[in-house]
Amino acid sequence: MANVQSRQREIICQLASRAWNEPLLDSGLWRHDDIRNNLYDASYLVAASSDSVCSDKLGINSREAMAKAVSVFERVLELQDKNSARDTYGHWPLGLGDKPDEAQPNPLPAELMGVLIVYFQQQYGAQLPESLSQSLNEAIEALYQSAYYREPVKAFNHHEAKYTATKLIFGYRFKDEELLERGRLDLQQTLDRVRTLGLPEYGALPWFWHWIQAFTCAYEIIAVHDIREDLASLLNELWNYRATYYLKGAWTGGRMRSLGHDLPRDGNVAFDYVQFGDFSLPQALTRVEYAGLLFYPAPESAIRTAMNRDLPQIIERVITPAGEDVKRSLHSYLYVDKGFAMGGIRERVKEYDNEQHRWGIDFPLRQDGGVNRLYIMQPGEGYNDGDPRHAGESGQLLFHRNAIIALFPFAQGEDGRLVGVLPKGEWMRTDHSLFGRIDDVFIALYLLHDFTLVEEVDRIALTSRGLDAGGVVVEAVSADTAARKHLNSLKDFMEEMANHNPLWSGGFHQSLRVEYSNLDGEILALTLHEEPQRTRRNMNDTVESEGDVN
């Protein structure tokens, strides 16, 4: 396993190679999609031109590479609003369009770029020409004088995390004791919240990495002992949280938000690669940001958690959303084995952009580029074919170890179908059931209604249609566990699990119910009536409990 420095260099070389070989547009930029992408790539090209190992490997002329990077950096800084009389003072446009000089400023780029360019100047300032150093100083001064980050902590989200880091960094840089103290108090408040109630933004990608980058920048920049101690404590909390839901490059469990490049396949993996390094770096990286340029070592507790998956583990948490408009807590359940994890969020919440991902089976990141997540959902607001996110409002779930039951009563006028994603592997079907093997994991998947499958480049797309309800039962076991039950092939597993077909009853206008006997002989039942009822009976059929099912 390569060390951290070599893994960071691998990312630097990959990004710098792209930047070096990509011609500039007439605007002097590489791309007009997002201004931040130009800044990131320019930063990597600076880093590569300052590293003889990387520049030799790429076969680039260090002086020419630095000149190209500096020209893009200067062009990005030119697009900052320098008019102190405007509300957009200090900001950049986000999407640049056809005419970058006419693009309107947006508050988002400054949130992360602000802290990153201070860090960049500290790390690479000695290699930069005087003209760029001066431009950086002017850009940072405009950011400091701007008001975007001078907001109190309320929601404990990624925006406020960056505001807090910005207060600390600018307070320290400009010797603004009042601002530094405000940042210190916000940091302590944030740390207390994370320690006692956790992160309200559960599994929110790529925004979790904005927390990591912002507070790592602050840790590297600020030479005040007690502030650095609090920053280290917060970063340790964040990395322990990440490790809990980590499985060889995958982010497991339910998610508050995910962009298309992280669902149904994890794509934002550069930070994990640098920190843990137990999977191969993909040839195509998304949202790398500063993963190759800044680093905070995760505590040993986080490394142990992330790397030790030999024994199955159940992780249950109560998620406490922030904000007065949120009245209920969310219950997270996750079963983690060495080759897969499964679970999610029991409650359906319509969150920002309707991006809640409630449940699934997660597999380690696959080297072949295929999806590493299995799930089925009812399409909802914002759903588009080919983009399996944005679920519907209905659906009740039962989680119990390595089994999940999901029932979907369709209201009149709703989209009466379920859509799903299956990773590629060895699959066999019988009527309303599917049996598969993904690497060293066996899957039994049962649906209430018939379904169709379409094989795509990186996945198998599933569609199931029903009149008034849909239902899914899924159980996963490792090949080792299956072998202990004398199930050594997918055919063996399918023949056994065909004896476990769920019993479905009811419908939308009456109690909808499913009963399922799992491979261990437990009987799980989910009933939808006025309130969902989740039950489990053990093998001797004498105990009935809701305490062991989520």
Side-chain angles (χ1 to χ4, degrees), residues 231-251:
L231 287 166
S233 296
L234 179 55
L235 285 165
N236 289 342
E237 292 284 345
L238 294 173
W239 277 111
N240 275 313
Y241 176 85
R242 173 64 192 110
T244 298
Y245 297 96
Y246 178 80
L247 183 66
K248 294 184 178 180
W251 191 298

PDB file of all heavy atoms in Angstrom, residues 231-251:
ATOM      1  N   LEU A 231      -9.629  22.675  16.429  1.00  0.00           N
ATOM      2  CA  LEU A 231      -9.709  22.257  15.032  1.00  0.00           C
ATOM      3  C   LEU A 231      -9.334  20.786  14.876  1.00  0.00           C
ATOM      4  O   LEU A 231      -9.990  20.033  14.139  1.00  0.00           O
ATOM      5  CB  LEU A 231      -8.795  23.128  14.167  1.00  0.00           C
ATOM      6  CG  LEU A 231      -9.273  24.551  13.909  1.00  0.00           C
ATOM      7  CD1 LEU A 231      -8.137  25.407  13.352  1.00  0.00           C
ATOM      8  CD2 LEU A 231     -10.469  24.570  12.942  1.00  0.00           C
ATOM      9  N   ALA A 232      -8.294  20.361  15.572  1.00  0.00           N
ATOM     10  CA  ALA A 232      -7.896  18.953  15.521  1.00  0.00           C
ATOM     11  C   ALA A 232      -8.995  18.056  16.075  1.00  0.00           C
ATOM     12  O   ALA A 232      -9.282  16.989  15.522  1.00  0.00           O
ATOM     13  CB  ALA A 232      -6.595  18.749  16.296  1.00  0.00           C
ATOM     14  N   SER A 233      -9.629  18.490  17.158  1.00  0.00           N
ATOM     15  CA  SER A 233     -10.720  17.697  17.746  1.00  0.00           C
ATOM     16  C   SER A 233     -11.876  17.557  16.770  1.00  0.00           C
ATOM     17  O   SER A 233     -12.463  16.474  16.631  1.00  0.00           O
ATOM     18  CB  SER A 233     -11.205  18.343  19.052  1.00  0.00           C
ATOM     19  OG  SER A 233     -10.192  18.341  20.032  1.00  0.00           O
ATOM     20  N   LEU A 234     -12.218  18.655  16.079  1.00  0.00           N
ATOM     21  CA  LEU A 234     -13.319  18.595  15.120  1.00  0.00           C
ATOM     22  C   LEU A 234     -12.950  17.714  13.927  1.00  0.00           C
ATOM     23  O   LEU A 234     -13.758  16.883  13.469  1.00  0.00           O
ATOM     24  CB  LEU A 234     -13.684  20.002  14.650  1.00  0.00           C
ATOM     25  CG  LEU A 234     -14.821  20.087  13.620  1.00  0.00           C
ATOM     26  CD1 LEU A 234     -16.081  19.389  14.129  1.00  0.00           C
ATOM     27  CD2 LEU A 234     -15.128  21.536  13.272  1.00  0.00           C
ATOM     28  N   LEU A 235     -11.739  17.854  13.415  1.00  0.00           N
ATOM     29  CA  LEU A 235     -11.315  17.015  12.294  1.00  0.00           C
ATOM     30  C   LEU A 235     -11.291  15.536  12.685  1.00  0.00           C
ATOM     31  O   LEU A 235     -11.638  14.662  11.878  1.00  0.00           O
ATOM     32  CB  LEU A 235      -9.947  17.463  11.794  1.00  0.00           C
ATOM     33  CG  LEU A 235      -9.963  18.766  10.981  1.00  0.00           C
ATOM     34  CD1 LEU A 235      -8.552  19.334  10.847  1.00  0.00           C
ATOM     35  CD2 LEU A 235     -10.566  18.534   9.593  1.00  0.00           C
ATOM     36  N   ASN A 236     -10.890  15.242  13.908  1.00  0.00           N
ATOM     37  CA  ASN A 236     -10.931  13.856  14.374  1.00  0.00           C
ATOM     38  C   ASN A 236     -12.360  13.330  14.399  1.00  0.00           C
ATOM     39  O   ASN A 236     -12.620  12.182  14.011  1.00  0.00           O
ATOM     40  CB  ASN A 236     -10.312  13.743  15.764  1.00  0.00           C
ATOM     41  CG  ASN A 236      -8.809  13.941  15.751  1.00  0.00           C
ATOM     42  OD1 ASN A 236      -8.169  13.841  14.701  1.00  0.00           O
ATOM     43  ND2 ASN A 236      -8.233  14.227  16.910  1.00  0.00           N
ATOM     44  N   GLU A 237     -13.295  14.151  14.857  1.00  0.00           N
ATOM     45  CA  GLU A 237     -14.706  13.758  14.858  1.00  0.00           C
ATOM     46  C   GLU A 237     -15.191  13.491  13.431  1.00  0.00           C
ATOM     47  O   GLU A 237     -15.902  12.511  13.171  1.00  0.00           O
ATOM     48  CB  GLU A 237     -15.566  14.848  15.502  1.00  0.00           C
ATOM     49  CG  GLU A 237     -15.363  15.051  16.990  1.00  0.00           C
ATOM     50  CD  GLU A 237     -16.026  13.969  17.826  1.00  0.00           C
ATOM     51  OE1 GLU A 237     -16.870  13.222  17.284  1.00  0.00           O
ATOM     52  OE2 GLU A 237     -15.692  13.870  19.029  1.00  0.00           O
ATOM     53  N   LEU A 238     -14.818  14.363  12.520  1.00  0.00           N
ATOM     54  CA  LEU A 238     -15.252  14.204  11.137  1.00  0.00           C
ATOM     55  C   LEU A 238     -14.687  12.931  10.512  1.00  0.00           C
ATOM     56  O   LEU A 238     -15.400  12.191   9.817  1.00  0.00           O
ATOM     57  CB  LEU A 238     -14.834  15.423  10.314  1.00  0.00           C
ATOM     58  CG  LEU A 238     -15.513  16.752  10.679  1.00  0.00           C
ATOM     59  CD1 LEU A 238     -14.879  17.900   9.893  1.00  0.00           C
ATOM     60  CD2 LEU A 238     -17.009  16.694  10.419  1.00  0.00           C
ATOM     61  N   TRP A 239     -13.416  12.647  10.750  1.00  0.00           N
ATOM     62  CA  TRP A 239     -12.822  11.455  10.153  1.00  0.00           C
ATOM     63  C   TRP A 239     -13.323  10.175  10.820  1.00  0.00           C
ATOM     64  O   TRP A 239     -13.451   9.131  10.157  1.00  0.00           O
ATOM     65  CB  TRP A 239     -11.298  11.538  10.183  1.00  0.00           C
ATOM     66  CG  TRP A 239     -10.766  12.328   9.025  1.00  0.00           C
ATOM     67  CD1 TRP A 239     -10.172  13.557   9.057  1.00  0.00           C
ATOM     68  CD2 TRP A 239     -10.809  11.941   7.641  1.00  0.00           C
ATOM     69  NE1 TRP A 239      -9.844  13.963   7.783  1.00  0.00           N
ATOM     70  CE2 TRP A 239     -10.213  12.996   6.894  1.00  0.00           C
ATOM     71  CE3 TRP A 239     -11.283  10.827   6.961  1.00  0.00           C
ATOM     72  CZ2 TRP A 239     -10.091  12.943   5.511  1.00  0.00           C
ATOM     73  CZ3 TRP A 239     -11.172  10.772   5.577  1.00  0.00           C
ATOM     74  CH2 TRP A 239     -10.573  11.816   4.872  1.00  0.00           C
ATOM     75  N   ASN A 240     -13.636  10.226  12.098  1.00  0.00           N
ATOM     76  CA  ASN A 240     -14.260   9.061  12.736  1.00  0.00           C
ATOM     77  C   ASN A 240     -15.644   8.805  12.145  1.00  0.00           C
ATOM     78  O   ASN A 240     -16.046   7.654  11.948  1.00  0.00           O
ATOM     79  CB  ASN A 240     -14.346   9.255  14.254  1.00  0.00           C
ATOM     80  CG  ASN A 240     -13.073   8.860  14.969  1.00  0.00           C
ATOM     81  OD1 ASN A 240     -12.517   7.797  14.717  1.00  0.00           O
ATOM     82  ND2 ASN A 240     -12.602   9.713  15.867  1.00  0.00           N
ATOM     83  N   TYR A 241     -16.369   9.887  11.867  1.00  0.00           N
ATOM     84  CA  TYR A 241     -17.677   9.750  11.230  1.00  0.00           C
ATOM     85  C   TYR A 241     -17.526   9.137   9.844  1.00  0.00           C
ATOM     86  O   TYR A 241     -18.266   8.207   9.470  1.00  0.00           O
ATOM     87  CB  TYR A 241     -18.342  11.126  11.138  1.00  0.00           C
ATOM     88  CG  TYR A 241     -19.664  11.130  10.399  1.00  0.00           C
ATOM     89  CD1 TYR A 241     -20.845  10.814  11.055  1.00  0.00           C
ATOM     90  CD2 TYR A 241     -19.727  11.457   9.045  1.00  0.00           C
ATOM     91  CE1 TYR A 241     -22.064  10.820  10.379  1.00  0.00           C
ATOM     92  CE2 TYR A 241     -20.930  11.463   8.364  1.00  0.00           C
ATOM     93  CZ  TYR A 241     -22.096  11.152   9.041  1.00  0.00           C
ATOM     94  OH  TYR A 241     -23.297  11.146   8.362  1.00  0.00           O
ATOM     95  N   ARG A 242     -16.577   9.653   9.082  1.00  0.00           N
ATOM     96  CA  ARG A 242     -16.370   9.107   7.738  1.00  0.00           C
ATOM     97  C   ARG A 242     -16.017   7.627   7.803  1.00  0.00           C
ATOM     98  O   ARG A 242     -16.525   6.817   7.013  1.00  0.00           O
ATOM     99  CB  ARG A 242     -15.248   9.879   7.020  1.00  0.00           C
ATOM    100  CG  ARG A 242     -14.852   9.271   5.672  1.00  0.00           C
ATOM    101  CD  ARG A 242     -15.993   9.341   4.688  1.00  0.00           C
ATOM    102  NE  ARG A 242     -15.789   8.539   3.489  1.00  0.00           N
ATOM    103  CZ  ARG A 242     -16.468   7.440   3.223  1.00  0.00           C
ATOM    104  NH1 ARG A 242     -17.357   6.975   4.096  1.00  0.00           N
ATOM    105  NH2 ARG A 242     -16.277   6.779   2.102  1.00  0.00           N
ATOM    106  N   ALA A 243     -15.137   7.250   8.711  1.00  0.00           N
ATOM    107  CA  ALA A 243     -14.694   5.865   8.809  1.00  0.00           C
ATOM    108  C   ALA A 243     -15.840   4.922   9.142  1.00  0.00           C
ATOM    109  O   ALA A 243     -15.872   3.776   8.675  1.00  0.00           O
ATOM    110  CB  ALA A 243     -13.588   5.746   9.852  1.00  0.00           C
ATOM    111  N   THR A 244     -16.786   5.390   9.947  1.00  0.00           N
ATOM    112  CA  THR A 244     -17.921   4.557  10.333  1.00  0.00           C
ATOM    113  C   THR A 244     -18.698   4.084   9.110  1.00  0.00           C
ATOM    114  O   THR A 244     -19.180   2.945   9.064  1.00  0.00           O
ATOM    115  CB  THR A 244     -18.859   5.348  11.275  1.00  0.00           C
ATOM    116  OG1 THR A 244     -18.131   5.692  12.459  1.00  0.00           O
ATOM    117  CG2 THR A 244     -20.077   4.523  11.663  1.00  0.00           C
ATOM    118  N   TYR A 245     -18.816   4.940   8.109  1.00  0.00           N
ATOM    119  CA  TYR A 245     -19.610   4.624   6.919  1.00  0.00           C
ATOM    120  C   TYR A 245     -18.731   4.342   5.703  1.00  0.00           C
ATOM    121  O   TYR A 245     -19.170   4.481   4.564  1.00  0.00           O
ATOM    122  CB  TYR A 245     -20.578   5.773   6.641  1.00  0.00           C
ATOM    123  CG  TYR A 245     -21.574   5.956   7.756  1.00  0.00           C
ATOM    124  CD1 TYR A 245     -21.360   6.887   8.765  1.00  0.00           C
ATOM    125  CD2 TYR A 245     -22.704   5.148   7.827  1.00  0.00           C
ATOM    126  CE1 TYR A 245     -22.255   7.016   9.815  1.00  0.00           C
ATOM    127  CE2 TYR A 245     -23.609   5.278   8.873  1.00  0.00           C
ATOM    128  CZ  TYR A 245     -23.370   6.208   9.862  1.00  0.00           C
ATOM    129  OH  TYR A 245     -24.270   6.327  10.908  1.00  0.00           O
ATOM    130  N   TYR A 246     -17.501   3.916   5.956  1.00  0.00           N
ATOM    131  CA  TYR A 246     -16.536   3.665   4.885  1.00  0.00           C
ATOM    132  C   TYR A 246     -16.430   2.173   4.604  1.00  0.00           C
ATOM    133  O   TYR A 246     -16.391   1.345   5.510  1.00  0.00           O
ATOM    134  CB  TYR A 246     -15.158   4.204   5.281  1.00  0.00           C
ATOM    135  CG  TYR A 246     -14.090   3.937   4.247  1.00  0.00           C
ATOM    136  CD1 TYR A 246     -13.978   4.740   3.123  1.00  0.00           C
ATOM    137  CD2 TYR A 246     -13.213   2.866   4.397  1.00  0.00           C
ATOM    138  CE1 TYR A 246     -13.000   4.490   2.164  1.00  0.00           C
ATOM    139  CE2 TYR A 246     -12.239   2.613   3.447  1.00  0.00           C
ATOM    140  CZ  TYR A 246     -12.140   3.427   2.336  1.00  0.00           C
ATOM    141  OH  TYR A 246     -11.184   3.181   1.390  1.00  0.00           O
ATOM    142  N   LEU A 247     -16.347   1.810   3.316  1.00  0.00           N
ATOM    143  CA  LEU A 247     -16.100   0.431   2.919  1.00  0.00           C
ATOM    144  C   LEU A 247     -15.346   0.434   1.593  1.00  0.00           C
ATOM    145  O   LEU A 247     -15.941   0.497   0.514  1.00  0.00           O
ATOM    146  CB  LEU A 247     -17.403  -0.355   2.786  1.00  0.00           C
ATOM    147  CG  LEU A 247     -17.258  -1.838   2.440  1.00  0.00           C
ATOM    148  CD1 LEU A 247     -16.578  -2.595   3.587  1.00  0.00           C
ATOM    149  CD2 LEU A 247     -18.612  -2.461   2.123  1.00  0.00           C
ATOM    150  N   LYS A 248     -14.019   0.438   1.664  1.00  0.00           N
ATOM    151  CA  LYS A 248     -13.152   0.346   0.493  1.00  0.00           C
ATOM    152  C   LYS A 248     -13.584   1.284  -0.633  1.00  0.00           C
ATOM    153  O   LYS A 248     -13.867   0.874  -1.744  1.00  0.00           O
ATOM    154  CB  LYS A 248     -13.100  -1.095  -0.002  1.00  0.00           C
ATOM    155  CG  LYS A 248     -12.429  -2.041   0.988  1.00  0.00           C
ATOM    156  CD  LYS A 248     -12.310  -3.443   0.433  1.00  0.00           C
ATOM    157  CE  LYS A 248     -11.598  -4.340   1.435  1.00  0.00           C
ATOM    158  NZ  LYS A 248     -11.460  -5.741   0.942  1.00  0.00           N
ATOM    159  N   GLY A 249     -13.640   2.558  -0.318  1.00  0.00           N
ATOM    160  CA  GLY A 249     -13.967   3.581  -1.305  1.00  0.00           C
ATOM    161  C   GLY A 249     -15.433   3.936  -1.383  1.00  0.00           C
ATOM    162  O   GLY A 249     -15.793   4.918  -2.031  1.00  0.00           O
ATOM    163  N   ALA A 250     -16.297   3.162  -0.755  1.00  0.00           N
ATOM    164  CA  ALA A 250     -17.740   3.414  -0.799  1.00  0.00           C
ATOM    165  C   ALA A 250     -18.180   4.196   0.427  1.00  0.00           C
ATOM    166  O   ALA A 250     -17.619   4.059   1.509  1.00  0.00           O
ATOM    167  CB  ALA A 250     -18.512   2.097  -0.870  1.00  0.00           C
ATOM    168  N   TRP A 251     -19.225   5.019   0.233  1.00  0.00           N
ATOM    169  CA  TRP A 251     -19.896   5.684   1.347  1.00  0.00           C
ATOM    170  C   TRP A 251     -21.209   4.931   1.572  1.00  0.00           C
ATOM    171  O   TRP A 251     -22.110   4.976   0.743  1.00  0.00           O
ATOM    172  CB  TRP A 251     -20.166   7.156   1.023  1.00  0.00           C
ATOM    173  CG  TRP A 251     -20.601   7.917   2.230  1.00  0.00           C
ATOM    174  CD1 TRP A 251     -21.714   7.713   2.997  1.00  0.00           C
ATOM    175  CD2 TRP A 251     -19.890   8.996   2.855  1.00  0.00           C
ATOM    176  NE1 TRP A 251     -21.748   8.576   4.045  1.00  0.00           N
ATOM    177  CE2 TRP A 251     -20.646   9.377   3.983  1.00  0.00           C
ATOM    178  CE3 TRP A 251     -18.705   9.672   2.558  1.00  0.00           C
ATOM    179  CZ2 TRP A 251     -20.251  10.426   4.820  1.00  0.00           C
ATOM    180  CZ3 TRP A 251     -18.320  10.702   3.396  1.00  0.00           C
ATOM    181  CH2 TRP A 251     -19.085  11.074   4.503  1.00  0.00           C
TER     182      TRP A 251
END
